[in-house]
Amino acid sequence: MNTQSLWAGTSDLAHMGESHRAEHPSHRTVTERIAELHRDAPFELLDCGIISGVTYRHLLDAGLAADYTGIDINAAAVADCRELHPGARWEQMSVTDLAFPDRSFDLVNCRHVLEHLPYYETAVRELFRVARRTVVICMFQVPQEPEVLLRHQTADGYIWLNRYAPGPFEALLHSLSESVEVIDVPADRRRNRVYLCTKRSA
């Protein structure tokens, strides 16, 4: 795929309404898998990339007893979530430098974030560092060859919109995990891929 066709696909995402994003079937897939792991007991969850608290609302609707912390680099998104959902913790923070001790959370969820970083390795290692057992990564740019790293200029600076090669990315996940389950989630507008990782024991 050339860069022009890659951008043609991402324009759909840019114009996708918030309600459409909130209804993407990957949310249901992730929530169901979290429920399988934590249906009967409270658990601590870190959510990286909060949008407007979509994952938090899905967890509440599923009746899951999550002690929830959401982080995002965007100050406005954090402020909105604090106002909309005062029952959870919301912090402005970079996924590449998580201000939490090792093994702080039973489960760490990272949705549609890695594609917007200059590269993924530092962030992935941080996700695993603060997780006790489970790391869930959902990607809207499904990894495939060839790897494409794009920096897109905007009025406020620039954003990255990357599609990573699957080999090195998945090798990193396996190096940090006892097991990695790959779940492809079809959708009318954009296929997602979910990686459900069980962290290696210390």
Side-chain angles (χ1 to χ4, degrees), residues 4 152-153 177:
Q4 185 175 9
H152 177 56
Q153 296 295 134
S177 306

Side-chain angles (χ1 to χ4, degrees), residues 25-174:
S26 59
H27 283 292
R28 183 175 61 254
T29 297
V30 170
T31 302
E32 288 173 351
R33 300 313 299 268
I34 292 174
E36 291 173 7
L37 296 170
H38 297 287
R39 171 67 71 188
D40 299 323
F43 62 102
E44 294 175 297
L45 181 144
L46 175 65
D47 189 24
C48 303
I50 57 177
I51 310 178
S52 59
V54 173
T55 298
Y56 179 65
R57 294 198 300 271
H58 278 270
L59 295 172
L60 288 180
D61 290 344
L64 296 174
D67 181 358
Y68 177 98
T69 300
I71 67 133
D72 204 288
I73 197 66
N74 186 298
V78 172
D80 288 346
C81 284
R82 285 175 176 166
E83 181 176 349
L84 289 170
H85 308 292
R89 287 181 297 278
W90 308 95
E91 302 291 343
Q92 185 182 6
M93 194 178 302
S94 172
V95 71
T96 62
D97 187 19
L98 296 173
F100 304 108
D102 295 358
R103 301 176 59 82
S104 292
F105 301 92
D106 298 301
L107 187 147
V108 176
N109 181 60
C110 182
R111 178 181 177 81
H112 296 185
V113 173
L114 300 183
E115 299 95 321
H116 297 304
L117 303 177
Y119 211 61
Y120 57 78
E121 183 170 358
T122 299
V124 168
R125 291 189 182 279
E126 279 289 273
L127 300 176
F128 277 84
R129 181 184 65 80
V130 302
R132 295 191 189 105
R133 189 59 174 163
T134 306
V135 175
V136 181
I137 296 171
C138 182
M139 305 185 82
F140 70 90
Q141 293 281 35
V142 174
Q144 59 180 294
E145 297 285 0
E147 185 166 88
V148 179
L149 307 180
L150 289 179
R151 195 172 81 160
H152 177 56
Q153 296 295 134
T154 71
D156 299 320
Y158 63 86
I159 61 169
W160 288 93
L161 194 56
N162 299 331
R163 185 191 66 216
Y164 299 118
F169 177 72
E170 294 180 4
L172 177 61
L173 297 186
H174 281 282

Side-chain angles (χ1 to χ4, degrees), residues 168-184:
F169 177 72
E170 294 180 4
L172 177 61
L173 297 186
H174 281 282
S175 74
L176 298 168
S177 306
E178 291 180 0
S179 64
V180 178
E181 182 181 1
V182 181
I183 308 166
D184 281 316

